[in-house]
mmCIF file of all heavy atoms in Angstrom:
data_model
loop_
_atom_site.group_PDB
_atom_site.id
_atom_site.type_symbol
_atom_site.label_atom_id
_atom_site.label_comp_id
_atom_site.label_asym_id
_atom_site.label_seq_id
_atom_site.Cartn_x
_atom_site.Cartn_y
_atom_site.Cartn_z
ATOM 1 N N TYR G 57 17.751 -2.380 12.186
ATOM 2 C CA TYR G 57 18.470 -3.557 11.692
ATOM 3 C C TYR G 57 18.596 -4.675 12.716
ATOM 4 O O TYR G 57 18.617 -5.846 12.362
ATOM 5 C CB TYR G 57 19.905 -3.185 11.276
ATOM 6 C CG TYR G 57 20.022 -2.296 10.066
ATOM 7 C CD1 TYR G 57 21.254 -1.714 9.757
ATOM 8 C CD2 TYR G 57 18.948 -2.050 9.230
ATOM 9 C CE1 TYR G 57 21.391 -0.894 8.648
ATOM 10 C CE2 TYR G 57 19.090 -1.228 8.120
ATOM 11 C CZ TYR G 57 20.316 -0.657 7.838
ATOM 12 O OH TYR G 57 20.462 0.142 6.745
ATOM 13 N N ASP G 100 25.673 1.597 5.613
ATOM 14 C CA ASP G 100 24.230 1.715 5.378
ATOM 15 C C ASP G 100 23.564 1.686 6.740
ATOM 16 O O ASP G 100 23.794 0.766 7.527
ATOM 17 C CB ASP G 100 23.774 0.538 4.504
ATOM 18 C CG ASP G 100 22.330 0.658 4.039
ATOM 19 O OD1 ASP G 100 21.632 1.595 4.468
ATOM 20 O OD2 ASP G 100 21.915 -0.207 3.236
ATOM 21 N N ASP G 111 16.593 6.122 6.259
ATOM 22 C CA ASP G 111 17.495 5.079 5.770
ATOM 23 C C ASP G 111 18.460 5.752 4.795
ATOM 24 O O ASP G 111 18.021 6.476 3.890
ATOM 25 C CB ASP G 111 16.639 4.018 5.058
ATOM 26 C CG ASP G 111 17.384 2.752 4.690
ATOM 27 O OD1 ASP G 111 18.590 2.662 4.959
ATOM 28 O OD2 ASP G 111 16.736 1.858 4.109
ATOM 29 N N SER G 112 19.760 5.553 4.995
ATOM 30 C CA SER G 112 20.732 6.241 4.146
ATOM 31 C C SER G 112 22.027 5.446 4.089
ATOM 32 O O SER G 112 22.328 4.671 4.996
ATOM 33 C CB SER G 112 20.995 7.652 4.702
ATOM 34 O OG SER G 112 21.832 8.399 3.858
ATOM 35 N N GLU G 207 18.242 4.310 -3.723
ATOM 36 C CA GLU G 207 19.529 3.716 -3.336
ATOM 37 C C GLU G 207 20.226 2.948 -4.450
ATOM 38 O O GLU G 207 20.200 1.730 -4.497
ATOM 39 C CB GLU G 207 19.391 2.830 -2.099
ATOM 40 C CG GLU G 207 18.345 1.762 -2.138
ATOM 41 C CD GLU G 207 18.456 0.855 -0.901
ATOM 42 O OE1 GLU G 207 19.585 0.550 -0.456
ATOM 43 O OE2 GLU G 207 17.417 0.453 -0.376
ATOM 44 N N GLU G 238 22.574 6.115 -0.728
ATOM 45 C CA GLU G 238 21.141 6.095 -0.453
ATOM 46 C C GLU G 238 20.733 7.330 0.342
ATOM 47 O O GLU G 238 21.456 7.768 1.243
ATOM 48 C CB GLU G 238 20.809 4.841 0.368
ATOM 49 C CG GLU G 238 19.371 4.768 0.862
ATOM 50 C CD GLU G 238 19.073 3.476 1.608
ATOM 51 O OE1 GLU G 238 20.016 2.839 2.122
ATOM 52 O OE2 GLU G 238 17.891 3.115 1.683
HETATM 53 MG MG1 MG C 301 19.626 1.468 3.698
#
Side-chain angles (χ1 to χ4, degrees):
Y57 292 169
D100 188 355
D111 190 359
S112 185
E207 53 173 322
E238 173 177 23

